[in-house]
Amino acid sequence: MRTPPPFDLSGRAALVTGAGSPTGIGYAAARLLGDLGASLTLAATTDRVHERAAELGARGIPTLGVVGDLTREEDASSLVAQAYAAHGRLDILVANAGMVSALDGDYLAGSIDETDPQRWRASLARNLDAAYLTCRAALPHLRASGAGRIILVSSVTGAAMAMRGEVAYAAAKAALVGLARALSVDEARHGVTVNVVAPGWIATGSQTPGEVTEGELVPAGRSGTADEIAAAIAFLASPGAAYITGQVLLVDGGNSIAEERRTPGP
C-alpha cells in the first residue's frame, strides 16, 4: 500500500472553529490546512467569518463560513451538519474557539473570590463545553474517515503552568488535556487521533501590551506568531502524524521550562 505524502491533505475536509479574526490562530490554521489541500469550514460567533471564507475562496480553497454559538448543543450540531453537507466528508476538526468572544469582550478572568458561579460556568462553557460539543457532533464523521484528526487548542495556562487571576480559564484549558487523552484512548480503534496544541504568548490582534512584555521575557525573546501555531496544528492534522495521539505540544518559545527571568550577563 502506498504511503501518502506526510503533509498532503488533498481530498480531506477540515472544520476550524474560532476562525473569525484575521490575525488569530484559527484563521492561520485554516489558511495553512487549505494551502495543503483541505477543503474548509470555518466557524465564528460573528459575520466576519464570511469575510475569512471569502478570502480563502479567493485563494482557490473551497471554504464555507458558519456563524454560531458553540456553547449551544444545537449550534454545534448544525455547524457539523453544514460542514459535512458542504464537502461530503469531515476528516479534521480544529477546536480553537475559546478565550474571548467577539460578541463579548469579557475575558471572564478573576481570582476565585472574583469568580462567582455564573462567571465560572460561563468560562467553562466558552473554553471547554464548546470543544466537547463540537467533538461529540463531529466524531461520527471522523470515525467514518478512517483517518480522523482532532486538534484541541488549549494553552500553556492550565496545561503546564498558570497565571494570576485566571482560575476558571486555567481549569477549562487543563480540562481540554483530559478530554483529549480520554478521547484518544476511546477513538484510536476508529483511526482517530486526538491531540492538544498549547500556545504560549502569541502576537495576535487580541494581545495586550502587558502580554507583549511577557513575550519578550521568554527564552526565545519574543511572542510567537499565529502561523507558528498553525504549523503545529497542521502537522498533527497530517497523515505523517498518524501514530501520535493523546499528546500535548507546547508552543511557547521555551517559557514553560525556564526557571530564571533575569537577563543573562555577558
Side-chain angles (χ1 to χ4, degrees):
M1 183 174 67
R2 186 179 70 87
T3 301
F7 299 107
D8 183 8
L9 299 180
S10 299
R12 301 195 180 196
L15 167 57
V16 183
T17 70
S21 169
T23 65
I25 290 169
Y27 183 54
R31 185 172 58 236
L32 181 53
L33 294 175
D35 286 345
L36 291 171
S39 56
L40 301 171
T41 301
L42 311 184
T45 57
T46 70
D47 285 341
R48 65 180 180 169
V49 73
H50 298 307
E51 298 173 12
R52 306 288 84 74
E55 290 164 0
L56 294 178
R59 295 166 73 105
I61 302 168
T63 307
L64 170 69
V66 179
V67 177
D69 178 359
L70 298 182
T71 67
R72 295 161 47 92
E73 182 178 3
E74 55 268 37
D75 284 21
S77 296
S78 175
L79 166 64
V80 171
Q82 290 179 71
Y84 185 79
H87 305 297
R89 61 186 300 143
L90 180 58
D91 307 278
I92 300 162
L93 169 61
V94 180
N96 173 66
M99 190 175 75
V100 67
S101 167
L103 290 175
D104 179 3
D106 186 354
Y107 281 75
L108 299 170
S111 67
I112 198 165
D113 294 328
E114 297 162 337
T115 303
D116 61 27
Q118 181 177 356
R119 287 179 67 79
W120 171 265
R121 287 189 292 268
S123 184
L124 265 60
R126 181 186 295 171
N127 293 292
L128 177 59
D129 292 2
Y132 152 72
L133 291 170
T134 311
C135 286
R136 192 168 190 270
L139 268 167
H141 301 306
L142 297 172
R143 291 166 184 155
S145 165
R149 301 282 187 270
I150 297 175
I151 300 96
L152 305 180
V153 180
S154 178
S155 171
V156 293
T157 300
M161 49 204 305
M163 293 192 296
R164 290 182 292 273
E166 289 285 3
V167 293
Y169 179 78
K173 290 300 189 181
L176 286 176
V177 175
L179 175 62
R181 287 179 172 155
L183 286 176
S184 70
V185 172
D186 290 343
E187 301 302 326
R189 64 193 178 95
H190 300 293
V192 178
T193 67
V194 189
N195 292 288
V196 174
V197 171
W201 303 113
I202 305 300
T204 67
S206 64
Q207 190 178 42
T208 67
E211 290 170 344
V212 172
T213 299
E214 293 288 351
E216 293 169 350
L217 298 176
V218 309
R222 63 174 177 87
S223 294
T225 68
D227 286 338
E228 287 169 326
I229 305 302
I233 291 169
F235 166 65
L236 292 172
S238 72
Y243 203 58
I244 301 172
T245 195
Q247 303 304 307
V248 182
L249 177 55
L250 274 61
V251 187
D252 70 346
N255 193 39
S256 57
I257 59 171
E259 293 188 37
E260 301 162 297
R261 288 292 184 269
R262 292 176 299 173
T263 303

